[in-house]
Amino acid sequence: MRILLVGATGTLGTALHQGLAARKHDVVTVSRTGGDLQYDVTDPDQVADLYRTVGQVDAVAVAAGSVPYRPVDELTVADYQAGLTGKVLSQVALVKEGLTHVAESFTLITGVLAREPIVTGAAASMANGALEAFVRAAAIEIAPQRINAVSPTVFTESLDVYGDFFPGMKPVPLADVVQAYVRSVEGRQTGQVYVP
C-alpha cells in the first residue's frame, strides 16, 4: 500500500515509519521540518496542497498533534483554540481534504486523556474526546473508506520525559502502538478507537 504518514519525524512517527516500511508498504513521510515533504497540517491550505502534491494514496496515518498543558484556571480561550487547531482540526482537515485522494483508510491519533484525565490535561482531554467522537461519526458517512483512531497512553520509551505526568498509568511500548496502526491500516474495521 502507498501510505501517507503525517508527523513522521517524532517519536511515534519514526517508529511507525519503520514498522510500516518493514511490512513492505510504500511510506510517504510528512512533517513540518523533515521527511519526504514539509507541510504544516494545522493550515488547511497546506493540507490541500499536500494532497495535490502527493496525489493518490491508499491510506493516511497520523502521528502528529499538539495541545497546551496548563491548569484549568490558567487555560485561556486561545489555549483551547490552539488545542483544537493543533490536534483536532488538523486531523479533520486531513480527512476532509483526503476523501478524493485516499482509497482505503484514515488512522488518526488521540490518546489516553480522552478516558483518563490528568492535572493540566483539560485541553488535551477535550481534543482527544472530540477526535474520537469525530471518528465514530465520520465512519458512518465516508464508507467504503474507513476511519479509526489509535489512543495510546504514555510510551514506555518516553517515560523518562513524560512519566511524571501520568502517575500510575501503565505505559505502552511503541511496538504495541505501531501494531494498532497496522490493525487499522490493514484491517477492515471502521469507527474504532484502538487502545494498545
Side-chain angles (χ1 to χ4, degrees):
M1 297 174 70
R2 187 169 189 244
I3 300 172
L4 180 64
L5 173 58
V6 179
T9 59
T11 300
L12 174 57
T14 299
L16 190 51
H17 183 199
Q18 294 168 350
L20 293 171
R23 296 183 66 80
K24 309 301 183 199
H25 295 298
D26 174 18
V27 183
V28 179
T29 59
V30 181
S31 76
R32 288 182 184 178
T33 58
D36 299 321
L37 301 167
Q38 289 82 50
Y39 283 92
D40 179 356
V41 297
T42 65
D43 179 347
D45 291 335
Q46 289 196 41
V47 172
D49 188 54
L50 168 62
Y51 281 117
R52 283 192 295 269
T53 300
V54 171
Q56 293 300 120
V57 296
D58 297 300
V60 171
V62 186
S66 62
V67 292
Y69 285 84
R70 290 190 183 84
V72 167
D73 62 351
E74 295 178 14
L75 284 166
T76 64
V77 170
D79 289 327
Y80 285 111
Q81 289 173 333
L84 287 172
T85 299
K87 189 150 192 186
V88 181
L89 298 178
S90 57
Q91 294 190 78
V92 169
L94 283 163
V95 175
K96 180 182 179 299
E97 295 294 332
L99 289 174
T100 58
H101 297 274
V102 180
E104 294 189 23
S105 72
F106 301 88
T107 304
L108 309 185
I109 180 73
T110 67
V112 66
L113 300 187
R115 305 175 302 282
E116 299 286 342
I118 63 169
V119 173
T120 74
S125 291
M126 177 192 72
N128 290 334
L131 274 169
E132 292 183 9
F134 172 73
V135 164
R136 289 188 292 271
I140 66 173
E141 294 191 43
I142 68 169
Q145 292 157 304
R146 299 178 299 102
I147 183 170
N148 298 301
V150 174
S151 183
T153 184
V154 62
F155 307 138
T156 304
E157 293 83 352
S158 298
L159 278 177
D160 58 333
V161 178
Y162 299 109
D164 290 346
F165 296 100
F166 297 87
M169 290 191 194
K170 186 176 180 180
V172 60
L174 277 168
D176 291 355
V177 181
V178 169
Q179 287 308 305
Y181 276 86
V182 169
R183 183 178 179 191
S184 177
V185 169
E186 297 182 11
R188 289 296 172 260
Q189 288 185 301
T190 191
Q192 302 299 303
V193 176
Y194 295 117
V195 179

